Structures are given as C-alpha cells and as structure tokens.
Amino acid sequence: MGLIHVEIRLAGFDPWQELAQWSGHAAAASVFVGRVRSTAMDGRPLQALELEHYPGLCERQITRMAVQLQREHAAGAMLVIHRVGRLVPGEPVVLVAVQADRRGAAQRCSAALLEQLKHHAPFWKREWCADQGIWLEENTPL
Amino acid sequence: MLQVLLFASLRERAGWSERSLFWSSDYATPRAVWNLLELGSLQGISIAVNQELVDADQPLQAGDELAFLPPFTGG
C-alpha cells in the first residue's frame, strides 16, 4: 500500500509541478485535473468560483474514502489536492492522482475517488456572475 | 453547551455561522435541534457530530459540535 496524501489548499497550485514532486515508480499512474470552467451552470460568463469546506471533517472524509478505494483496487500511492477560496476561470480546482501496478486499477480507482469526493466530501461551490453569488445545489453531470 | 455550525447556503439562509446553545434536554438529537432552528426541511442536509457524519436521530451530548451541511458540490 502506498502513501495517501490529501491536502486542501487556500492558494493556487500548479498540478504538473505537484506531480513532478510526487511521482513514484509504479507501472501505471492515472491523473485527473479539474479546472474552473468559464461559464456558470446557467450559461452566463463566470466571474469567479468560490469554494468552501468544513475543515477537519473534509480532509478526514477524503482520506477515509481513499484508504477504502486503495484497498478495493489494490492501488498504490494516491494524491489529492483540492482548492478552497475564490478561484477564477481556468484555475485548477482539484488534482487526483493514483498509482498502481496496472492501468485498470489506476484509472478505476482515480475515477471512483473523484466521484466520491464530489458527492461525499463537505465542499460547497458558489458561482459568481455579474457580482452576484449563487450557491450550487448539485454537481455537474459526469 | 452545544456548538451548532452552519455552512454555505444554510449559513446565509440563517444569517449566522456558529451558535453556542446552553445544554438542554430539548436538544436530544440533531433532528430536534434542526426543528428548533426553523430553517426548512431537513431533506438533503447532512449532519456531523464532532466531525463525524451521523444520522439525524443520533443522541447528542453536552459539549458536542453539531454541524448541518447542505448538499456537497466539490470536485
């Protein structure tokens, strides 16, 4: 079992730089980078995306999900970095990376962790358009 | 005391983020506290006690941190 690293960041990050420091020697690695889109859910141009979390519970929930999935998929090292605060379009929101001995395990584990993170970790998004903020009630579809 | 926390849209609906309530037997469960707060339906709201996700009918104790969480939208 590899190391699981989960971090919530207040400041912007470069996912490729993070990966350069993280990457190990597993035969397979799967990486997902999510960025702020340029339009809001209702199609209007997005000014900013605000992200809030419940400190403590949030990190623990993600780590718990990662431990469970690592076991299920026989995956290796896992990295999760998630932004909070006010982000502008194009900025990275989330980085999920999983190493494994096989591509299937790495890809399936990474996809499963991202979906669990979206639905079971206490994060909340507020879209800002024309200086007005709207809390999202649900996630974007897969 | 019972520490009650609200996040995101719930916080804005209520107009407060944190409240300390003197312990009373009226606060037997998260559902009972929620009903006293008069913030609408509990449907779709997650509940955490001492930073663990729990059921709405989990018994509460003096000194607990109780959080009501609107639907999660991270990732």
Side-chain angles (χ1 to χ4, degrees):
Chain A
M1 289 290 167
L3 203 67
I4 293 173
H5 184 82
V6 174
E7 214 178 312
I8 310 296
R9 293 266 181 96
L10 266 166
F13 67 95
D14 176 345
W16 312 117
Q17 220 168 359
E18 301 291 340
L19 286 168
Q21 288 163 15
W22 171 77
S23 61
H25 301 287
S30 179
V31 172
F32 175 85
V33 175
R35 293 180 189 276
V36 179
R37 60 188 71 242
S38 57
T39 50
M41 291 285 251
D42 63 7
R44 287 185 298 162
L46 186 77
Q47 221 172 13
L49 184 69
E50 186 184 334
L51 269 144
E52 179 177 330
H53 76 308
Y54 184 178
L57 175 63
C58 192
E59 291 88 336
R60 268 213 311 286
Q61 275 290 103
I62 299 171
T63 304
R64 197 173 292 159
M65 296 184 295
V67 167
Q68 172 84 18
L69 289 169
Q70 189 183 52
R71 199 174 301 138
E72 272 173 35
H73 295 272
M78 301 169 88
L79 174 67
V80 178
I81 299 177
H82 201 297
R83 266 299 303 277
V84 290
R86 193 178 170 96
L87 287 75
V88 295
E91 264 195 274
V93 181
V94 61
L95 165 65
V96 173
V98 176
Q99 296 184 14
D101 192 41
R102 302 236 175 228
R103 66 187 183 283
Q107 288 173 335
R108 282 191 292 270
C109 186
S110 160
L113 181 55
L114 183 68
E115 289 311 302
Q116 288 204 6
L117 187 150
K118 278 183 170 282
H119 298 289
H120 303 294
F123 287 107
W124 300 279
K125 287 192 185 112
R126 173 152 57 174
E127 290 183 336
W128 285 91
C129 296
D131 294 328
Q132 281 197 320
I134 297 173
W135 290 103
L136 296 185
E137 292 296 322
E138 58 183 11
N139 259 312
T140 48
L142 185 64
Chain B
M1 297 294 273
L2 179 72
Q3 198 75 7
V4 183
L5 307 178
L6 300 179
F7 287 88
S9 55
L10 274 181
R11 177 188 61 231
E12 309 221 333
R13 198 194 301 167
W16 53 271
S17 62
E18 195 171 339
R19 205 169 254 191
S20 295
L21 305 177
F22 284 108
W23 179 251
S24 136
S25 56
D26 291 343
Y27 307 141
T29 63
R31 191 188 303 281
V33 176
W34 177 262
N35 290 339
L36 291 168
L37 295 176
E38 299 184 332
L39 289 172
S41 167
L42 191 54
Q43 201 176 358
I45 306 294
S46 298
I47 295 158
V49 172
N50 300 329
Q51 301 224 346
E52 291 288 337
L53 292 174
V54 299
D55 188 271
D57 297 311
Q58 154 116 351
L60 291 172
Q61 294 180 342
D64 280 348
E65 175 183 286
L66 167 64
F68 292 106
L69 315 169
F72 304 151
T73 54

